[in-house]
Structure formats: structure tokens, C-alpha cells
Amino acid sequence: MSARAAPSRRRQAGRRLRYLSTGSFPFLLLLLLLCIQLGGGQKKKENLLAEKVEQLMEWSSRRSIFRMNGDKFRKFVKAPPRNYSMIVMFTALQPQRQCSVCRQANEEYQILANSWRYSSAFCNKLFFGMVDYDEGTDVFQQLNMNSAPTFMHFPSKGRPKRADTFDLQRIGFAAEQLAKWIADRTDVHIRVFRPPNYSGTIALALLVSLVGGLLYLRRNNLEFIYNKTGWAMVSLSYIHGSSQAQFVAESHIILVLNAAITMGMVLLNEAATSKGDVGKRRIICLVGLGLVVFFFSFLLSIFRSKYHGYPYSDLDIE
């Protein structure tokens, strides 16, 4: 009985083995196809990301801020894959919009982007873009945005949070403040380099040249410098000689002198508190000091002309 049962068991085991081999083949084939598809999808995603980064780097090599319409915004900012952060300024720079704040903010944004572009730390982890309302109205509608300018950070992973929108109303839009906000959101530190402004230097040079030229032309006859009557006619002809009366023009002159002194104090404060170029700050300090000294001395001279018993004359110009 057992001898005849053994061949039967071997035949049943063979049939089960053939059945298992035949049934598992489609499953293995499906698993293989799934792995190939996943590998192909991952490779396709990597290729797409590489193309996007290459395109952004090419644009950045030509311009520090690239303008985007709705299609470019959705492709490079919203659509995955993305392993880089995007800083986008939403603005309205067209003349018919009459947005003066947008133009001022754009100048600061340009300074910041140029500082990053020419920085030694520049890399493909941070890019700067811009969406103008007239070029990307659909983007404004998609983000429910109804004001400009607005700065937003789009992180490399996830959606923007509340802190990814720059608080322009409270902080302002200076390039230094934007750089600090970017450092908080991306850990990318940008040192802001402002282009030199030679307008103050040129104005001071023209003034010195004008005075120097006048003195050179009158070098043989400089008595006019010491002519108090002439200075009085030029500067104090509209000042009443008594402290009990005052001309209308005298009020305007005093107003202008106080404004000039105030401007000098503002320039001195700006030179002391700003973090700009040292040479520019030095020029601002000298101009502010000159305004304060000259016009305050002028004010004392007027006071002395009206109050004849005024004993202090070291600072007046008469």
C-alpha cells in the first residue's frame, strides 16, 4: 500500500511545483515592470529638475532677476520637482499703474539680487524672480493677491508659510532688511553691496570750483569779502533792525535758515547711523556739518542785528 502511494505523492508534488512556477511568473513579471517604471519615472524627474536648474542658471548669468508670466511661474515656481528656493517680487511697474512704491522697491530688489549674483557664495539653491501684474494677472488671481509690491519666498519643499511673505508694511523694503529675511527663511546670507553714489561729491566739487573760480577772478580785489555793508545788503536787507518789528520776508528767511540747520542735523545723523560706503558717509558728514555751522552762524547774526545788546559774537559771520 505504501509502495503504491509513494509514486502518487511524487506525481502530486510535481503538479503542484509546475502550478506554482506557472502562477508566480506573471507576478514576477508585473513586479519587474513596476520596478522599471519607477526607475524610469525617477530618472525622468531627475532629468526634468536638471533642465529647470540649468535654465534658471542660464537666465541668472544674463540677468539677476528674470521676469515671469503665468506659464513660467507655474513651471519654475509651483510645479515639482524643485530643490531650490525662489524669491519672487509681485509688482506693477507699468507707467499707467502709477506705483511709485513699486519702483522704489524694485531698485532695492535689484541691489539685493545683484549682490547675490556677484557674490562668491552664489549657487543654484536660490533664485530671484519677478511677476508684473500686467504680465501675470492670472498669478495674482491664483494667489488672491490684490496689492503690490509683495515679496514671497517659495521654499524648495512644501508650500509657503505665513512667514514666507515679507512684512513690507512693518519692516520696509530696504535691501538689507530683505537680505535678513532671506537668511531667516533659507539660511543663505547675502552681503549687500550698494553702487557708489557720486552725486554729493559732484555737487560739492562744483560748489568749491565755483567759489574758487570767483576768488581767482577777483584775486586782485578781494575787499568785497570784508565789506560788511555789502553782506548786509545781500543777506539782511529784509531783516528789520528792531526787535519790536518783523518783516514778512524776515519770517520766510528765518524759516529757510531753520530748515537748512535741520537738514544739516539730519545729514549728520544719517552719516552716523547708516551702514553704507565710508567715503560717502564722510562726505555726508562734512556737508551736514557745513550746513549747521554756516546757517546757525547766519541765524546768530540776524539775532545780533535785532538785539544790539547781544554780547556773543564768536559764531556770527559779521
Side-chain angles (χ1 to χ4, degrees):
M1 182 68 182
S2 60
R4 277 182 284 180
S8 176
R9 291 196 203 96
R10 285 196 294 270
R11 285 194 297 270
Q12 292 176 1
R15 284 196 297 268
R16 284 197 296 269
L17 182 60
R18 286 195 299 270
Y19 176 76
L20 289 174
S21 300
T22 305
S24 61
F25 179 75
F27 175 75
L28 294 175
L29 181 60
L30 180 61
L31 184 61
L32 180 61
L33 292 175
L34 183 61
C35 292
I36 294 174
Q37 184 176 3
L38 290 176
Q42 183 66 25
K43 186 175 181 180
K44 183 179 179 181
K45 185 181 296 185
E46 293 176 357
N47 292 337
L48 179 59
L49 177 59
E51 291 177 1
K52 291 170 68 173
V53 173
E54 183 180 359
Q55 181 66 70
L56 290 172
M57 290 296 291
E58 181 183 351
W59 286 340
S60 297
S61 64
R62 292 180 294 178
R63 185 174 299 177
S64 56
I65 301 173
F66 50 90
R67 303 175 73 99
M68 296 181 291
N69 54 19
D71 294 335
K72 289 182 179 179
F73 177 81
R74 284 183 284 272
K75 178 179 179 181
F76 292 99
V77 179
K78 298 292 289 184
R82 194 176 71 249
N83 64 350
Y84 52 86
S85 296
M86 285 286 300
I87 306 297
V88 182
M89 176 184 179
F90 300 91
T91 185
L93 295 175
Q94 297 301 321
Q96 65 269 18
R97 301 298 174 186
Q98 299 181 353
C99 182
S100 58
V101 179
C102 294
R103 291 191 292 270
Q104 297 172 10
N106 180 56
E107 293 176 0
E108 294 294 317
Y109 192 48
Q110 292 283 351
I111 292 174
L112 177 64
N114 286 328
S115 300
W116 170 242
R117 178 187 176 189
Y118 296 108
S119 171
S120 59
F122 175 76
C123 63
N124 59 3
K125 298 300 181 182
L126 179 66
F127 297 99
F128 291 85
M130 177 187 298
V131 178
D132 192 277
Y133 179 79
D134 294 283
E135 299 173 0
T137 308
D138 53 338
V139 177
F140 278 75
Q141 295 175 352
Q142 179 183 352
L143 298 176
N144 295 322
M145 192 175 297
N146 53 13
S147 63
T150 300
F151 297 93
M152 287 190 64
H153 165 241
F154 294 88
S156 57
K157 295 181 180 179
R159 296 182 177 181
K161 300 178 182 179
R162 184 175 182 179
D164 289 311
T165 300
F166 182 68
D167 192 353
L168 186 145
Q169 299 295 332
R170 184 176 63 88
I171 304 177
F173 47 76
E176 291 78 8
Q177 298 297 333
L178 287 169
K180 183 179 179 180
W181 169 66
I182 291 174
D184 293 338
R185 305 311 303 165
T186 65
D187 291 330
V188 175
H189 298 272
I190 303 175
R191 184 181 178 185
V192 177
F193 295 95
R194 291 186 175 275
N197 186 359
Y198 299 105
S199 58
T201 306
I202 295 174
L204 183 61
L206 289 176
L207 179 62
V208 172
S209 301
L210 181 62
V211 174
L214 179 62
L215 294 177
Y216 178 77
L217 292 175
R218 299 296 301 273
R219 62 186 181 278
N220 297 324
N221 185 15
L222 299 178
E223 288 83 3
F224 71 95
I225 298 179
Y226 307 100
N227 191 340
K228 294 185 177 182
T229 304
W231 283 110
M233 291 296 295
V234 172
S235 59
L236 302 179
S237 58
Y238 295 99
I239 306 298
H240 199 281
S242 173
S243 61
Q244 305 299 320
Q246 182 172 325
F247 295 135
V248 174
E250 183 179 342
S251 302
H252 297 159
I253 293 173
I254 299 299
L255 177 64
V256 171
L257 293 179
N258 284 311
I261 295 171
T262 303
M263 178 60 68
M265 296 299 295
V266 170
L267 291 178
L268 288 174
N269 180 71
E270 180 69 19
T273 58
S274 65
K275 299 181 180 179
D277 182 67
V278 177
K280 180 181 176 181
R281 292 170 58 191
R282 186 179 293 113
I283 294 172
I284 293 176
C285 179
L286 292 176
V287 173
L289 185 62
L291 288 174
V292 172
V293 172
F294 180 79
F295 287 102
F296 186 70
S297 176
F298 203 174
L299 192 62
L300 289 180
S301 298
I302 295 175
F303 185 81
R304 185 186 178 197
S305 69
K306 294 178 70 66
Y307 294 86
H308 302 287
Y310 180 65
Y312 305 106
S313 60
D314 293 339
L315 292 177
D316 62 54
I317 62 176
E318 291 190 356

PDB file of all heavy atoms in Angstrom, residues 245-261:
ATOM      1  N   ALA A 245       9.764 144.700  15.773  1.00  0.00           N
ATOM      2  CA  ALA A 245       9.060 144.586  14.486  1.00  0.00           C
ATOM      3  C   ALA A 245       9.702 143.494  13.643  1.00  0.00           C
ATOM      4  O   ALA A 245      10.851 143.088  13.883  1.00  0.00           O
ATOM      5  CB  ALA A 245       9.095 145.924  13.746  1.00  0.00           C
ATOM      6  N   GLN A 246       8.972 143.029  12.644  1.00  0.00           N
ATOM      7  CA  GLN A 246       9.454 141.950  11.781  1.00  0.00           C
ATOM      8  C   GLN A 246       8.767 142.038  10.430  1.00  0.00           C
ATOM      9  O   GLN A 246       7.546 142.167  10.350  1.00  0.00           O
ATOM     10  CB  GLN A 246       9.179 140.589  12.429  1.00  0.00           C
ATOM     11  CG  GLN A 246       9.696 139.401  11.622  1.00  0.00           C
ATOM     12  CD  GLN A 246       9.560 138.100  12.401  1.00  0.00           C
ATOM     13  OE1 GLN A 246       9.708 138.088  13.618  1.00  0.00           O
ATOM     14  NE2 GLN A 246       9.274 137.033  11.692  1.00  0.00           N
ATOM     15  N   PHE A 247       9.583 141.985   9.362  1.00  0.00           N
ATOM     16  CA  PHE A 247       9.024 141.988   8.020  1.00  0.00           C
ATOM     17  C   PHE A 247       8.438 140.617   7.701  1.00  0.00           C
ATOM     18  O   PHE A 247       8.789 139.602   8.305  1.00  0.00           O
ATOM     19  CB  PHE A 247      10.095 142.333   6.981  1.00  0.00           C
ATOM     20  CG  PHE A 247      10.623 143.736   7.117  1.00  0.00           C
ATOM     21  CD1 PHE A 247      11.990 143.996   7.062  1.00  0.00           C
ATOM     22  CD2 PHE A 247       9.748 144.803   7.295  1.00  0.00           C
ATOM     23  CE1 PHE A 247      12.464 145.278   7.177  1.00  0.00           C
ATOM     24  CE2 PHE A 247      10.234 146.105   7.410  1.00  0.00           C
ATOM     25  CZ  PHE A 247      11.591 146.344   7.354  1.00  0.00           C
ATOM     26  N   VAL A 248       7.562 140.589   6.687  1.00  0.00           N
ATOM     27  CA  VAL A 248       7.010 139.306   6.235  1.00  0.00           C
ATOM     28  C   VAL A 248       8.123 138.444   5.631  1.00  0.00           C
ATOM     29  O   VAL A 248       8.212 137.238   5.888  1.00  0.00           O
ATOM     30  CB  VAL A 248       5.878 139.543   5.221  1.00  0.00           C
ATOM     31  CG1 VAL A 248       5.396 138.218   4.647  1.00  0.00           C
ATOM     32  CG2 VAL A 248       4.732 140.303   5.860  1.00  0.00           C
ATOM     33  N   ALA A 249       8.996 139.090   4.836  1.00  0.00           N
ATOM     34  CA  ALA A 249      10.098 138.347   4.232  1.00  0.00           C
ATOM     35  C   ALA A 249      11.038 137.794   5.293  1.00  0.00           C
ATOM     36  O   ALA A 249      11.661 136.741   5.109  1.00  0.00           O
ATOM     37  CB  ALA A 249      10.857 139.239   3.260  1.00  0.00           C
ATOM     38  N   GLU A 250      11.147 138.510   6.428  1.00  0.00           N
ATOM     39  CA  GLU A 250      12.014 138.040   7.508  1.00  0.00           C
ATOM     40  C   GLU A 250      11.544 136.694   8.051  1.00  0.00           C
ATOM     41  O   GLU A 250      12.357 135.809   8.358  1.00  0.00           O
ATOM     42  CB  GLU A 250      12.039 139.087   8.617  1.00  0.00           C
ATOM     43  CG  GLU A 250      12.961 138.741   9.761  1.00  0.00           C
ATOM     44  CD  GLU A 250      12.978 139.817  10.824  1.00  0.00           C
ATOM     45  OE1 GLU A 250      12.563 140.959  10.519  1.00  0.00           O
ATOM     46  OE2 GLU A 250      13.394 139.509  11.961  1.00  0.00           O
ATOM     47  N   SER A 251      10.260 136.488   8.132  1.00  0.00           N
ATOM     48  CA  SER A 251       9.716 135.202   8.598  1.00  0.00           C
ATOM     49  C   SER A 251      10.114 134.078   7.660  1.00  0.00           C
ATOM     50  O   SER A 251      10.483 132.975   8.094  1.00  0.00           O
ATOM     51  CB  SER A 251       8.191 135.285   8.706  1.00  0.00           C
ATOM     52  OG  SER A 251       7.798 136.315   9.584  1.00  0.00           O
ATOM     53  N   HIS A 252      10.064 134.373   6.350  1.00  0.00           N
ATOM     54  CA  HIS A 252      10.441 133.346   5.375  1.00  0.00           C
ATOM     55  C   HIS A 252      11.927 133.032   5.459  1.00  0.00           C
ATOM     56  O   HIS A 252      12.343 131.873   5.327  1.00  0.00           O
ATOM     57  CB  HIS A 252      10.066 133.813   3.970  1.00  0.00           C
ATOM     58  CG  HIS A 252       8.591 134.003   3.789  1.00  0.00           C
ATOM     59  ND1 HIS A 252       8.051 134.799   2.795  1.00  0.00           N
ATOM     60  CD2 HIS A 252       7.528 133.522   4.487  1.00  0.00           C
ATOM     61  CE1 HIS A 252       6.731 134.781   2.874  1.00  0.00           C
ATOM     62  NE2 HIS A 252       6.392 134.010   3.902  1.00  0.00           N
ATOM     63  N   ILE A 253      12.741 134.077   5.679  1.00  0.00           N
ATOM     64  CA  ILE A 253      14.188 133.859   5.777  1.00  0.00           C
ATOM     65  C   ILE A 253      14.511 133.000   6.995  1.00  0.00           C
ATOM     66  O   ILE A 253      15.314 132.057   6.916  1.00  0.00           O
ATOM     67  CB  ILE A 253      14.920 135.219   5.842  1.00  0.00           C
ATOM     68  CG1 ILE A 253      14.773 135.949   4.513  1.00  0.00           C
ATOM     69  CG2 ILE A 253      16.391 135.020   6.176  1.00  0.00           C
ATOM     70  CD1 ILE A 253      15.307 137.366   4.529  1.00  0.00           C
ATOM     71  N   ILE A 254      13.898 133.313   8.123  1.00  0.00           N
ATOM     72  CA  ILE A 254      14.136 132.520   9.337  1.00  0.00           C
ATOM     73  C   ILE A 254      13.688 131.070   9.122  1.00  0.00           C
ATOM     74  O   ILE A 254      14.345 130.121   9.581  1.00  0.00           O
ATOM     75  CB  ILE A 254      13.401 133.150  10.534  1.00  0.00           C
ATOM     76  CG1 ILE A 254      13.927 134.565  10.797  1.00  0.00           C
ATOM     77  CG2 ILE A 254      13.546 132.289  11.772  1.00  0.00           C
ATOM     78  CD1 ILE A 254      15.393 134.619  11.139  1.00  0.00           C
ATOM     79  N   LEU A 255      12.573 130.905   8.412  1.00  0.00           N
ATOM     80  CA  LEU A 255      12.086 129.550   8.124  1.00  0.00           C
ATOM     81  C   LEU A 255      13.097 128.773   7.298  1.00  0.00           C
ATOM     82  O   LEU A 255      13.394 127.597   7.582  1.00  0.00           O
ATOM     83  CB  LEU A 255      10.744 129.642   7.390  1.00  0.00           C
ATOM     84  CG  LEU A 255      10.133 128.306   6.942  1.00  0.00           C
ATOM     85  CD1 LEU A 255       9.790 127.448   8.144  1.00  0.00           C
ATOM     86  CD2 LEU A 255       8.887 128.551   6.090  1.00  0.00           C
ATOM     87  N   VAL A 256      13.663 129.413   6.277  1.00  0.00           N
ATOM     88  CA  VAL A 256      14.649 128.746   5.427  1.00  0.00           C
ATOM     89  C   VAL A 256      15.912 128.405   6.221  1.00  0.00           C
ATOM     90  O   VAL A 256      16.480 127.307   6.076  1.00  0.00           O
ATOM     91  CB  VAL A 256      14.983 129.637   4.211  1.00  0.00           C
ATOM     92  CG1 VAL A 256      16.163 129.067   3.437  1.00  0.00           C
ATOM     93  CG2 VAL A 256      13.773 129.779   3.303  1.00  0.00           C
ATOM     94  N   LEU A 257      16.362 129.327   7.072  1.00  0.00           N
ATOM     95  CA  LEU A 257      17.559 129.064   7.872  1.00  0.00           C
ATOM     96  C   LEU A 257      17.350 127.886   8.828  1.00  0.00           C
ATOM     97  O   LEU A 257      18.232 127.026   8.965  1.00  0.00           O
ATOM     98  CB  LEU A 257      17.928 130.321   8.664  1.00  0.00           C
ATOM     99  CG  LEU A 257      18.407 131.535   7.841  1.00  0.00           C
ATOM    100  CD1 LEU A 257      18.714 132.711   8.753  1.00  0.00           C
ATOM    101  CD2 LEU A 257      19.628 131.180   7.012  1.00  0.00           C
ATOM    102  N   ASN A 258      16.214 127.856   9.488  1.00  0.00           N
ATOM    103  CA  ASN A 258      15.931 126.719  10.381  1.00  0.00           C
ATOM    104  C   ASN A 258      15.824 125.415   9.615  1.00  0.00           C
ATOM    105  O   ASN A 258      16.256 124.353  10.109  1.00  0.00           O
ATOM    106  CB  ASN A 258      14.637 126.987  11.159  1.00  0.00           C
ATOM    107  CG  ASN A 258      14.825 127.975  12.287  1.00  0.00           C
ATOM    108  OD1 ASN A 258      15.750 127.825  13.084  1.00  0.00           O
ATOM    109  ND2 ASN A 258      13.986 128.989  12.365  1.00  0.00           N
ATOM    110  N   ALA A 259      15.249 125.478   8.410  1.00  0.00           N
ATOM    111  CA  ALA A 259      15.166 124.265   7.587  1.00  0.00           C
ATOM    112  C   ALA A 259      16.546 123.781   7.190  1.00  0.00           C
ATOM    113  O   ALA A 259      16.826 122.566   7.186  1.00  0.00           O
ATOM    114  CB  ALA A 259      14.313 124.541   6.345  1.00  0.00           C
ATOM    115  N   ALA A 260      17.448 124.714   6.842  1.00  0.00           N
ATOM    116  CA  ALA A 260      18.815 124.327   6.470  1.00  0.00           C
ATOM    117  C   ALA A 260      19.554 123.719   7.658  1.00  0.00           C
ATOM    118  O   ALA A 260      20.289 122.726   7.505  1.00  0.00           O
ATOM    119  CB  ALA A 260      19.563 125.549   5.937  1.00  0.00           C
ATOM    120  N   ILE A 261      19.376 124.301   8.853  1.00  0.00           N
ATOM    121  CA  ILE A 261      20.020 123.737  10.048  1.00  0.00           C
ATOM    122  C   ILE A 261      19.474 122.338  10.336  1.00  0.00           C
ATOM    123  O   ILE A 261      20.222 121.411  10.671  1.00  0.00           O
ATOM    124  CB  ILE A 261      19.801 124.682  11.250  1.00  0.00           C
ATOM    125  CG1 ILE A 261      20.521 126.015  11.010  1.00  0.00           C
ATOM    126  CG2 ILE A 261      20.296 124.033  12.534  1.00  0.00           C
ATOM    127  CD1 ILE A 261      20.190 127.080  12.042  1.00  0.00           C
TER     128      ILE A 261
END
